[in-house]
Amino acid sequence: MRGVIDLGKGAETRALEMGSQNSSAAGGMEKEIRVPVTRIEGHGKITIVLDRDGNVADAKFHVVSVRGFEKFCEGRLVWEMPVITSRICGICPVSHSLASAKAGDAILGIDIPGPAKKLRLLLHMGQMIQSHALSLFYLSLPDLVLGFDYEMERRNIVGLLESRPELARRGVALRKFGQEVIEALAGRRVHPTFAIPGGVNGMLQPEKRDALLAQIDGVIENARSTIGLVKDACLKQEEAIPVRTYNMGLVGRDGALEFYDGELRIKDQRGNIIEDGFNPSDYLSIIGERVEDWSYLKFPYYRWAGFPKGSLRVGPLGRLNVADRIPTPLAEEEFKEFKAMGENGLVDRTIFYHYARAIEMLHAAEKAKELLQDEEICSKEIWNESREIENEEGVGVIEAPRGTLIHHYWVNRDGTIRKANLIVSTVFNNMGMNLAIKEVASKRIRNGRFDEGILNHVEHAIRCFDPCLSCATHAVGQMPLSIQLVSPDGEVLGEISRG
C-alpha cells in the first residue's frame, strides 16, 4: 500500500497470531495494523499506541517467543557448556562459546596458557569482522547508500551489488575473511567447538596462519575505506534518532577499548563516569533485570538509577562512548574524529551505531594482524587441564559484536550446572530500541495519519542496534515481527503489507 493512509478509514484488519491485544491506553478491545519487518536477525512485534489526537503516545518492541536455553542447560556438565551455548545463535556462536569458556575457567579456578588466550582473541576478532561486515553491508548499507525510497525488493545486498558492485564485493570479502579466521581455528565457520574450559582444543597450523597473514593488509584497507563512506552516509540521514541512556562496556585499566578482558565502565547521560574499574564478575551488584509482561526480552538496567531511568546502551556506540582510546593506530585516528562529534565524550545519535561499528571492524582487523604476527600464535601450549571444581559459580564476560555478554553458571561439586543466567547483548539495548522506535514514529505519525515511509524508518531504527532476537531470547523456532498501531479507544486502524 502506498501513499498517505487515513488510519480511521477503510483499512484492512486482521487479528494477531499471538500476544495480548489489550492496551492500557485504550482500556478495551484493541485492533491493529500489522507490518512485516525484515533484515534483522530474528523477528518480533511492534505496537505503536496513539493518543486521542492520533499522535504517538507510546511504542513497544515485543519479542514474543519463549526462551529456554538457561533452563535446559541445568544438569549438563560445565565442560559441555561452550558447545551447547554456541548453538544459541548462528550469527554469534563464537561470542557465546568464549563467554561460556571464561565462566568455565572461573569455576575450575585456572588461568589459561598465554598462547591459548591469543588464539581465543584471534577467534574473537574473526567474529567481530564477520558480524560487523554482515550488519553493515548486508543489512544496513542498502538503506543508507541506496536510500529509503529505493525499490524495496532490491534494497538489499543484491541491489547493492547491482548499484555499487565494488562496495558489495568489499563487504562480502570482509565477511569471508572473518569466517576464514574462525574456520582456520575451529575447523568450521558456524557453531565452533574451539574454546573450552582451560584453553582451546587445537593449535593454529603455520600454513593457515600464513594464508590469513597474506590477506590481512587488504582486509585492513577494506575496513579503513569503509569508515568514511559509512560516516558520510550517517551524516546525510534525515533522522539521527537521538536516544539518551546510560552507556556501558568493558575497558582496559588505561581506559582503552576492550573486547575480551577488562573491567566494566558505565557513563551516565551527561558523560560522567559513574562506575569504573568494576569487576565484571560482580555484575549482579550493579545490574538489575526487569521483566515486563508484554515481551520475553528482559530489561537490564543500572541498579542504582532504577528502572527505566537506568536503562543501558551497549554495543559499538556504547563501547566507544565509554572508552578513552582504541589501542590500534588506524582505528585510534578514526576514534578521535568520532569523539569530536559528541559532547562530553558521548555520541547519543543512534544512527552513529553504524559509524562506531565500522571503526570497531577496523580495530578488529588491526588486532588480528597483531595476533597473526605474534610468535606464540602457533604454539602448542593451548590447554591447562583441570578436572577439579574450585568454585561453585563462575562468570564469563566478553564484548560480543552487539555488546556486553554475560554467562553466569552455578555448579554442583561434580561440575553439573545447577543454574545458569545469560544476559545477552541485545537485551541490554532493549529500552534503547523502544525509545528509538518511539522517536521515529513520533515524527511520522501526526493526527492519525502516516505514510509507508514509517515502515522503512522504524525498521532501520531497530537495525542500528543490530539486534539478534533469537540470540537474546535463546528461542526455538520463528518469531514473526510486525508493527501494530493501536488507537486509544480500541478501534481497528488497518493493516499495511508489502506485496
Side-chain angles (χ1 to χ4, degrees):
M1 183 178 296
R2 297 190 180 279
V4 176
I5 299 169
D6 188 328
L7 294 179
K9 296 180 180 178
E12 180 185 355
T13 63
R14 66 182 180 186
L16 284 178
E17 295 173 352
M18 60 188 74
S20 169
Q21 298 185 30
N22 292 325
S23 162
S24 57
M29 179 70 178
E30 287 183 0
K31 302 172 183 179
E32 67 280 341
I33 294 176
R34 207 173 81 160
V35 181
V37 181
T38 59
R39 279 189 284 127
I40 62 173
E41 287 126 16
H43 305 275
K45 186 181 78 175
I46 297 166
T47 300
I48 298 173
V49 181
L50 305 183
D51 63 21
R52 296 196 177 279
D53 294 326
N55 299 318
V56 174
D58 198 7
K60 292 179 178 176
F61 181 43
H62 314 251
V63 175
V64 290
S65 185
V66 69
R67 58 189 298 169
F69 254 84
E70 290 163 329
K71 194 63 180 176
F72 71 66
C73 284
E74 294 176 6
R76 307 301 302 193
L77 290 170
V78 66
W79 293 275
E80 299 176 312
M81 292 299 284
V83 175
I84 293 173
T85 57
S86 76
R87 295 284 172 170
I88 290 174
C89 180
I91 301 298
C92 37
V94 167
S95 304
H96 285 288
S97 69
L98 289 175
S100 182
K102 287 186 70 176
D105 298 340
I107 288 170
L108 298 179
I110 55 177
D111 292 323
I112 68 173
K117 181 178 176 181
K118 291 174 182 175
L119 288 168
R120 285 187 184 180
L121 281 171
L122 181 59
L123 186 76
H124 200 18
M125 296 308 107
Q127 166 76 350
M128 281 287 183
I129 294 169
Q130 76 88 14
S131 182
H132 280 358
L134 173 68
S135 175
L136 285 168
F137 290 92
Y138 289 69
L139 305 180
S140 296
L141 281 181
D143 291 334
L144 299 178
V145 173
L146 302 178
F148 290 100
D149 295 327
Y150 198 81
E151 184 182 357
M152 192 272 291
E153 289 77 9
R154 306 172 83 83
R155 187 158 30 91
N156 48 41
I157 187 65
V158 175
L160 202 61
L161 188 60
E162 294 171 345
S163 174
R164 298 283 301 274
E166 81 294 346
L167 184 59
R169 282 196 289 268
R170 188 193 308 168
V172 171
L174 281 165
R175 182 161 191 247
K176 178 172 177 285
F177 177 79
Q179 291 175 316
E180 287 178 352
V181 171
I182 297 169
E183 186 176 26
L185 294 168
R188 57 186 178 187
R189 300 182 176 191
V190 181
H191 304 312
T193 58
F194 186 65
I196 57 175
V200 297
N201 62 8
M203 61 174 288
L204 175 62
Q205 298 298 326
E207 59 270 24
K208 292 184 178 179
R209 182 267 318 272
D210 294 343
L212 294 173
L213 264 178
Q215 302 178 61
I216 194 63
D217 286 338
V219 171
I220 290 172
E221 181 52 37
N222 275 342
R224 186 179 189 182
S225 61
T226 299
I227 293 175
L229 179 145
V230 173
K231 177 185 177 182
D232 291 344
C234 291
L235 288 170
K236 291 176 182 175
Q237 298 308 303
E238 181 183 344
E239 293 174 311
I241 321 173
V243 170
R244 287 200 158 191
T245 62
Y246 286 71
N247 293 265
M248 184 177 77
L250 292 174
V251 296
R253 291 189 174 177
D254 58 352
L257 177 70
E258 178 62 58
F259 287 158
Y260 181 81
D261 275 327
E263 296 161 330
L264 285 174
R265 174 181 283 181
I266 297 178
K267 283 186 177 182
D268 68 14
Q269 299 92 331
R270 295 184 178 86
N272 302 308
I273 297 175
I274 56 171
E275 296 287 351
D276 201 14
F278 196 86
N279 184 349
S281 297
D282 296 328
Y283 75 97
L284 285 175
S285 66
I286 60 169
I287 295 174
E289 292 185 78
R290 174 88 169 191
V291 176
E292 297 287 340
D293 62 5
W294 45 269
S295 178
Y296 283 108
L297 213 61
K298 293 189 288 188
F299 289 84
Y301 61 94
Y302 178 52
R303 187 180 291 278
W304 304 116
F307 180 83
K309 183 180 177 183
S311 297
L312 295 156
R313 173 195 285 131
V314 300
L317 191 57
R319 282 191 288 256
L320 296 201
N321 275 338
V322 300
D324 297 329
R325 67 184 189 87
I326 294 181
T328 52
L330 298 178
E332 171 66 4
E333 289 178 20
E334 303 291 344
F335 176 73
K336 290 176 181 175
E337 285 192 33
F338 171 87
K339 282 288 193 180
M341 298 177 65
E343 296 180 5
N344 266 352
L346 286 186
V347 175
D348 62 10
R349 287 161 285 179
T350 305
I351 195 74
F352 287 118
Y353 255 104
H354 302 304
Y355 183 24
R357 190 168 291 120
I359 295 172
E360 284 194 344
M361 187 166 63
L362 174 59
H363 168 58
E366 289 184 284
K367 186 67 179 177
K369 180 177 181 179
E370 179 185 310
L371 290 163
L372 288 167
Q373 291 177 329
D374 192 301
E375 292 182 356
E376 287 190 332
I377 202 66
C378 293
S379 169
K380 295 180 180 178
E381 296 180 26
I382 56 175
W383 187 43
N384 188 353
E385 182 178 6
S386 177
R387 302 180 187 277
E388 300 296 325
I389 301 299
E390 295 292 331
N391 301 296
E392 293 188 1
E393 63 180 291
V395 179
V397 180
I398 67 164
E399 287 293 333
R402 292 161 186 83
T404 311
L405 170 63
I406 299 173
H407 280 220
H408 189 176
Y409 308 146
W410 291 260
V411 299
N412 295 321
R413 295 306 303 173
D414 62 356
T416 56
I417 302 292
R418 287 190 291 112
K419 178 182 174 183
N421 186 38
L422 313 180
I423 306 183
V424 177
S425 319
T426 292
V427 179
F428 279 112
N429 282 328
N430 195 358
M431 180 54 73
M433 289 189 284
N434 279 269
L435 294 174
I437 293 166
K438 184 177 181 181
E439 169 73 17
V440 171
S442 296
K443 291 183 176 178
R444 295 183 171 274
I445 299 177
R446 298 286 186 186
N447 302 318
R449 296 175 66 84
F450 68 100
D451 60 60
E452 192 185 15
I454 188 175
L455 310 181
N456 299 326
H457 289 274
V458 167
E459 280 183 327
H460 189 255
I462 298 171
R463 271 187 222 116
C464 290
F465 295 88
D466 189 24
C468 187
L469 305 184
S470 55
C471 182
T473 59
H474 330 313
V476 177
Q478 292 187 332
M479 296 178 290
L481 179 62
S482 62
I483 296 179
Q484 177 185 31
L485 273 79
V486 178
S487 72
D489 56 3
E491 286 295 318
V492 174
L493 302 178
E495 180 175 348
I496 303 174
S497 62
R498 290 188 173 112

